[in-house]
Amino acid sequence: MSKRIGLVSVFLAAIAVSSLLFVSPSFAEVVLKIGTLSNDANQLDPHVSTKSQDKILFPWVFNGLVRFAPGSADLSKIEADLAESWKSSADGLTWTFRLRKGVQFHSGYGELTADDVVFSLNRASKKETSTAYKGYADFASVSAPDKYTVKIVLTKPIPSLLGMVTNYHGGYIVSKKAVEKLGDNFKTNPIGTGPFAFSEYQSKRQVTLVANKDYFRGAPKIDKIIYRYLPDEASRELAFKNGELDLIYGTREQRWVERIRKDKGVKVDIIGLGELRTLHMNITKGPLKDIRVRQAISHAVNRDEMVAFVGQDVAQRSISVVPLGYLGNTSDVPLYKHDLAKAKALLKEAGYPDGVTLKVIITKVASLRVPMEILQAQLRKAGIILDLEVVEHSAFHKLIRQDASPLVLYGAARFPVADSYLTQFYLSDSTVGTPTAITNFSHCDAADAEITAARSEADQTKQLALWKTAQQKVLTQTCSVPIFEQLIVWARTTKLDYGFEMKNSLSNGPILNEMTTLK
Amino acid sequence: MSLFPKAGGLRRTIRDTIRVFNRNKTSWAGLVLLLFMVSLAVLAPWISPYDPIDQNILERLSPASAEHLLGTDHFGRDILSRILWGARISLSVGTISVLMGMAVGTVLGILAGYKGKYWDYMIMGVMDVFMAIPTLLMGLMVVAVLGPNLVNLTIAIALTVAPRFARIARAPTISIKNRDFVEAGRAMGFSDLRIMAGHIFPNILGELIVMGSLWIATAVRIEASLSFIGLGVKPPTPTWGGMIREGFQNILSDPWISIYPGIFILITVLAFNMLGDGLRDAIDPKLRNS
């Protein structure tokens, strides 16, 4: 009898102890689960990938020498990051940065030194290892006088130099040791100094990041981030509503925003900088060679209808080829008003009284395909028929860079200075199909002189004037139709608090760092 | 039995079909539904209340009303008009692809059955390989290789359908080719082509028609599935599968955009199946003679 009681009490004790293991909330890991738009990563090398859904991750993993204040994309509010202090010489040609001491790279790759910075900036300025290389053309040398000092010498003064060493694209500092050791694997195993360290990448599934407990600003309060690839909008929303996700890339439409805002415990963040949706017209091919046809297209586009479709909160109409809020943007440009009669008259004048048909390629992704279908309906009213071929997103990116589509609808956010947009989209040097190609889909060449001169103009008033002339010339040549800017929508549970006001971001997504908490 | 049951076989099949149809109310219902769908498709240009590709952004996603009987989609296009125009594509892709598959499959099947030996091995071997690939996967591969458009979509479905008809045609051919009338024809020096086309084909036509009506239902479904995964026709052309896909963007708030075309697919597939079942009963000798 007593033996039995003994056995039972041991059994009960075992149950009690094991149940304690399950009910121990104080030890629970804080895991932030995120749902993003894409179906997979392109690659996770910050100097190479320009894909929006990769860019979102980079500021969580990497730092620059300086940074935009979290939640801001204001060039006048740049603050210290890996560099503690910096100064420039009187002629503006030499910049010296003092590095913060004791900053550790993830996964035991050691302390950050000036060597890593020199390596990173040189890597960012080489065509073979970086897609940001053009911005660094005026770097004469980057050197390390001692372990914690970096010296940048320029061939000509760059007024916005700090912008090139921020936590953005070529400005991210990578570990020299890691790049050399991992080689090609670095692109799926990024090593930085940021608040979160890369842990695992599962193709077409997710990226897992873990807290960098040694982060120089303090250990993050979130232990783990699971960044899941969920291209389908409805399933992403469903998972969010069921509480399986804490933060999702939202649908960038008014109706969606209004609907999800009503849900309890949900906060919607509409984040700048917006992506400017521009219709680029190839000025060297077919009917579009004739400027009157391009003007007809410009007059046939109805911006107000487009903004009404997307919604006042998430879209703003654009008339200039440089996005609003970028240093150098001007609204003093030739405006092509919505005027179907004029569009038809221009087509007739150009020798197309019965209209024209253009074979156009567009991606499956809704944020470009849907506006393109609206444009298709708008242009049809003026007799311009678009024969749309819908292709996979990666095929779209490849084909438009092979000049396969006379009209290219493209949306992009770049570094918020007029130069980045003008250089990449309208400088003849950047024309697609050439060895120095970036994204000049229109073969525009109207403002080469102004764009190049503005880049090294030390006097800001003169620089702004040059950028203004450039924007006017591009639109006079009618290389493209700027249509609207689309802001970025993220929805989060109210339990997630960024720790700062999330207004603007250059990474297409929210900034997550040591201040961010998840209750 | 006449020596050469040529037109007589066909005429009797039709007569018996009508007789069994009269016994079987479901097949009449199928036929009526189908004729209704076909007339909607044919009359679409006249009965559609709106232009199916005309956008009206301000009235988008409006629910069913007197103005838009089935509401509007995310571009403010009238859903009813799009369904009516979409019927033309869905029905014609379904019918044409099955007719194409039937033509190719029947010729190959009769050839394999009649010639036998290595003809049989070769043709049916290839057909078996095709049969082993699931229909949707086959369609997906063809469209992926040739590119998504209406013609390729039709070809893709025809390719998945053809082997089924080869099977259906081959078996009765083997049994018929040893029948007296065929032997007699051969003795009189008829060419193989004449025997196959003139004497074997009319005798297996009944089976083929039944299979055809059932496979059109499947073809309509395959078309919708391929359009649904984005391998259908180009925008803004309306197709039922494409409409369901487009409606998915707003499925949580405005499900009707996907539901209405779904209902039309359902009715069409049902109509073909009901008709096919009736036809099968009609040509089944056991039922025919009872």
Side-chain angles (χ1 to χ4, degrees), chain A residues 281-475:
Chain A
M281 302 183 277
N282 188 337
I283 63 172
T284 63
K285 262 191 188 169
L288 292 178
K289 254 192 216 165
D290 191 323
I291 188 166
R292 288 167 296 193
V293 177
R294 304 201 298 273
Q295 286 167 340
I297 292 177
S298 306
H299 282 297
V301 169
N302 184 347
R303 290 185 179 84
D304 294 328
E305 189 182 62
M306 190 72 89
V307 172
F309 176 84
V310 184
Q312 297 297 340
D313 285 1
V314 286
Q316 28 197 181
R317 55 179 265 147
S318 320
I319 52 167
S320 174
V321 294
V322 170
L324 293 159
Y326 281 40
L327 183 67
N329 161 279
T330 177
S331 51
D332 183 11
V333 287
L335 176 64
Y336 298 91
K337 278 208 182 90
H338 176 56
D339 187 342
L340 287 176
K342 199 163 178 188
K344 281 182 194 157
L346 280 162
L347 274 184
K348 202 172 166 188
E349 225 182 283
Y352 300 99
D354 304 323
V356 286
T357 300
L358 298 166
K359 244 180 109 71
V360 173
I361 295 169
I362 191 70
T363 165
K364 261 183 183 174
V365 170
S367 57
L368 284 174
R369 181 180 50 80
V370 171
M372 194 72 205
E373 285 188 54
I374 294 175
L375 284 176
Q376 183 185 36
Q378 290 180 352
L379 297 187
R380 190 168 72 104
K381 289 182 185 152
I384 302 154
I385 307 297
L386 303 189
D387 184 6
L388 287 190
E389 190 183 338
V390 183
V391 298
E392 289 293 336
H393 196 56
S394 47
F396 169 72
H397 275 286
K398 206 170 127 198
L399 288 167
I400 57 175
R401 282 168 177 79
Q402 294 168 352
D403 253 351
S405 184
L407 291 179
V408 175
L409 182 67
Y410 201 83
R414 293 288 177 260
F415 196 73
V417 179
D419 175 63
S420 58
Y421 235 81
L422 291 170
T423 298
Q424 296 182 23
F425 291 100
Y426 301 104
L427 189 69
S428 59
D429 218 24
S430 311
T431 304
V432 291
T434 63
T436 52
I438 310 182
T439 43
N440 183 353
F441 303 112
S442 60
H443 296 238
C444 197
D445 56 6
D448 283 3
E450 286 79 7
I451 298 171
T452 318
R455 204 178 297 150
S456 52
E457 179 55 66
D459 181 346
Q460 191 155 53
T461 332
K462 282 186 195 157
Q463 192 182 38
L464 289 174
L466 283 167
W467 278 335
K468 182 172 154 183
T469 318
Q471 289 167 67
Q472 289 165 342
K473 281 192 169 177
V474 167
L475 279 168

Side-chain angles (χ1 to χ4, degrees), chain B residues 125-157:
Chain B
V126 172
M127 291 294 122
D128 283 345
V129 170
F130 274 78
M131 288 261 268
I133 304 170
T135 44
L136 191 59
L137 190 65
M138 180 78 183
L140 224 152
M141 287 187 331
V142 173
V143 173
V145 171
L146 299 179
N149 64 46
L150 208 55
V151 176
N152 294 344
L153 194 65
T154 312
I155 294 175
I157 300 174

Side-chain angles (χ1 to χ4, degrees), chain A residues 233-234 237-238 253 255 259 305 308-309 359 364 366 369-370 373-374 376-377 380-381 387-388 390, chain B residues 51 53-55 57-58 60-61 74-75 77 229-230 234-236 245-246 248-249 251-254:
Chain A
E233 284 171 352
E237 184 185 335
L238 215 54
E253 274 185 36
R255 279 177 51 94
R259 185 158 54 80
E305 189 182 62
F309 176 84
K359 244 180 109 71
K364 261 183 183 174
R369 181 180 50 80
V370 171
E373 285 188 54
I374 294 175
Q376 183 185 36
R380 190 168 72 104
K381 289 182 185 152
D387 184 6
L388 287 190
V390 183
Chain B
D51 181 340
I53 59 172
D54 205 21
Q55 300 182 354
I57 303 285
L58 297 178
R60 70 209 190 95
L61 298 170
H74 63 304
F75 288 126
R77 299 177 296 204
I229 53 177
K234 294 173 182 178
R245 172 192 164 81
E246 284 172 1
F248 253 61
Q249 273 178 31
I251 191 78
L252 294 175
S253 55
D254 315 283

Side-chain angles (χ1 to χ4, degrees), chain B residues 52-98:
Chain B
I53 59 172
D54 205 21
Q55 300 182 354
N56 187 347
I57 303 285
L58 297 178
E59 278 183 40
R60 70 209 190 95
L61 298 170
S62 52
S65 64
E67 254 172 81
H68 298 278
L69 287 177
L70 299 183
T72 59
D73 72 359
H74 63 304
F75 288 126
R77 299 177 296 204
D78 184 56
I79 292 178
L80 178 62
S81 306
R82 286 182 73 72
I83 287 179
L84 294 177
W85 281 87
R88 301 187 131 211
I89 297 199
S90 293
L91 289 176
S92 53
V93 168
T95 317
I96 295 171
S97 60
V98 169

